[in-house]
Amino acid sequence: MLNQLAASELILNEDGSIYHLNLLPEDIAEKIILVGDPDRVAKVSKHFDKVEIKKNKREFYTHTGILRGERITVMSTGIGTENIDIVMNELDALVNIDLKKKEIKSQKTSLQLFRMGTCGSVNPDVEVDNMLVTQNVVGLDGLMNFYKDYQFENEFSKSFYEKFPYEKIKPMLYFSEWSEELGELYKDAKYHGNTATFPGFYAPQGRQLRLLATDEQFLENLNDLGITNFEMETSAIYAFSQLLGHKAITVNNVIANRRRGEFSKDHHASEQNLIEWVLERVVK
């Protein structure tokens, strides 16, 4: 790879900000909370002592401020790993590329990334309205297969891949894991588990409206392979962090148990509990 990047590769706005996120390097902290829903950004930042930066473009909303004396950023990603592809590459560019010279820096910065989200569980023993931290993750969306240098294997991935019965989907699989260092901050979560990241909300997650899913037992089969919960972003966040040298952790609030047919009775209260619980541990 050439150290100097072409204008077509590193796209900037007229003010020099990175293309999609609409941010300058000074707009972000090294601790970043990632949420899916743009409306959740203000719900998080209202807990800051002070908000210094508010910017948005498309679904990407960013607030940066001070919490208990420490600078922190909260940013919305929207839904899906295709959005995470944008967010992770552009966040990394903000800290590890000189945007004016369009040159990759020799000295790299490692971000701390905290995904704060909601999820469904495929494990019948997991109770709704509780925190679940992702240790291992499998991506079923195929994204990281487009990146030349991505390889990851551990005991969970080897076991899952060997037993995964869906041959059409198998070539798309990729794996990653949490930052143990950040995991220590959330060791008191009720659940730690293995997450599946899906490329859609309906058939990939076993829902059927007018179109039928490939296998009605898909979620149950994933549970048998060691999957605890599912959502739509973590595999890419963890995998890019492995590639780029960042640290990442996902803390989800379980708002649905699909095996028991349960949904949170007050998911807004559950969301608020999640925000407060995560923030207490991000900045002591």
Side-chain angles (χ1 to χ4, degrees):
M1 178 187 292
L2 295 174
N3 195 43
Q4 182 126 29
L5 300 166
S8 60
E9 306 305 297
L10 177 61
I11 305 171
L12 303 177
N13 299 311
E14 290 183 3
D15 64 354
S17 61
I18 198 79
Y19 184 56
H20 295 92
L21 301 184
N22 195 37
L23 296 173
L24 295 164
E26 58 266 28
D27 292 334
I28 63 169
E30 292 185 14
K31 282 187 177 180
I32 300 175
I33 296 171
L34 300 175
V35 299
D37 186 356
D39 289 342
R40 192 175 293 155
V41 171
K43 294 177 182 178
V44 173
S45 70
K46 76 176 185 179
H47 294 275
F48 293 1
D49 302 316
K50 178 172 64 174
V51 177
E52 302 171 334
I53 301 289
K54 288 186 178 182
K55 288 190 174 182
N56 69 278
K57 185 179 179 183
R58 303 186 187 187
E59 61 266 57
F60 307 112
Y61 282 68
T62 302
H63 291 181
T64 295
I66 305 297
L67 177 62
R68 292 188 284 279
E70 189 168 340
R71 200 160 186 256
I72 190 168
T73 293
V74 56
M75 172 186 297
S76 62
T77 65
I79 297 174
T81 57
E82 66 275 23
N83 275 17
I84 299 301
D85 181 67
I86 291 171
V87 168
M88 291 296 293
N89 276 288
E90 295 195 3
L91 282 177
D92 182 75
L94 287 170
V95 295
N96 289 319
I97 297 176
D98 186 319
L99 299 188
K100 293 180 180 177
K101 295 180 180 178
K102 295 202 172 183
E103 292 180 355
I104 297 172
K105 296 177 181 179
S106 57
Q107 194 76 21
K108 303 297 189 299
T109 296
S110 178
L111 297 170
Q112 295 183 39
L113 304 165
F114 302 80
R115 166 162 155 70
M116 179 194 294
T118 58
C119 71
S121 178
V122 295
N123 185 326
D125 297 327
V126 172
E127 299 175 356
V128 299
D129 297 323
N130 283 286
M131 309 305 169
L132 191 154
V133 175
T134 298
Q135 182 169 354
N136 295 290
V137 63
V138 55
L140 290 92
D141 55 285
L143 174 62
M144 300 312 294
N145 292 297
F146 288 89
Y147 286 87
K148 181 179 179 180
D149 295 327
Y150 189 72
Q151 293 181 348
F152 179 86
E153 187 177 77
N154 63 7
E155 291 304 313
F156 169 77
S157 72
K158 287 188 285 188
S159 174
F160 187 95
Y161 191 84
E162 179 184 339
K163 298 174 183 177
F164 189 73
Y166 301 96
E167 293 301 322
K168 286 173 62 177
I169 302 173
K170 203 166 188 176
M172 296 188 289
L173 301 182
Y174 63 92
F175 301 85
S176 193
E177 66 180 359
W178 65 352
S179 159
E180 282 193 55
E181 179 183 330
L182 298 189
E184 277 295 306
L185 300 175
Y186 299 99
K187 60 186 178 182
D188 58 333
K190 183 164 186 177
Y191 302 109
H192 292 79
N194 305 315
T195 297
T197 295
F198 291 140
F201 184 76
Y202 287 93
Q205 296 186 22
R207 293 183 176 88
Q208 301 183 122
L209 302 183
R210 291 183 61 220
L211 299 175
L212 299 181
T214 299
D215 184 352
E216 293 183 5
Q217 301 302 309
F218 186 55
L219 295 183
E220 288 85 344
N221 289 340
L222 287 183
N223 185 214
D224 292 341
L225 293 174
I227 294 298
T228 313
N229 68 310
F230 56 91
E231 43 82 272
M232 296 178 67
E233 288 83 31
T234 295
S235 61
I237 294 172
Y238 279 20
F240 277 116
S241 295
Q242 294 277 347
L243 268 183
L244 294 168
H246 303 301
K247 298 171 184 175
I249 192 79
T250 286
V251 183
N252 277 320
N253 195 282
V254 182
I255 61 169
N257 188 302
R258 293 287 295 281
R259 297 288 293 281
R260 295 209 306 248
E262 293 178 359
F263 191 80
S264 172
K265 293 180 180 179
D266 188 349
H267 68 276
H268 295 297
S270 193
E271 176 189 52
Q272 186 58 39
N273 289 337
L274 170 69
I275 292 169
E276 293 176 3
W277 193 81
V278 170
L279 288 179
E280 282 174 5
R281 290 153 180 79
V282 169
V283 177
K284 293 292 187 180

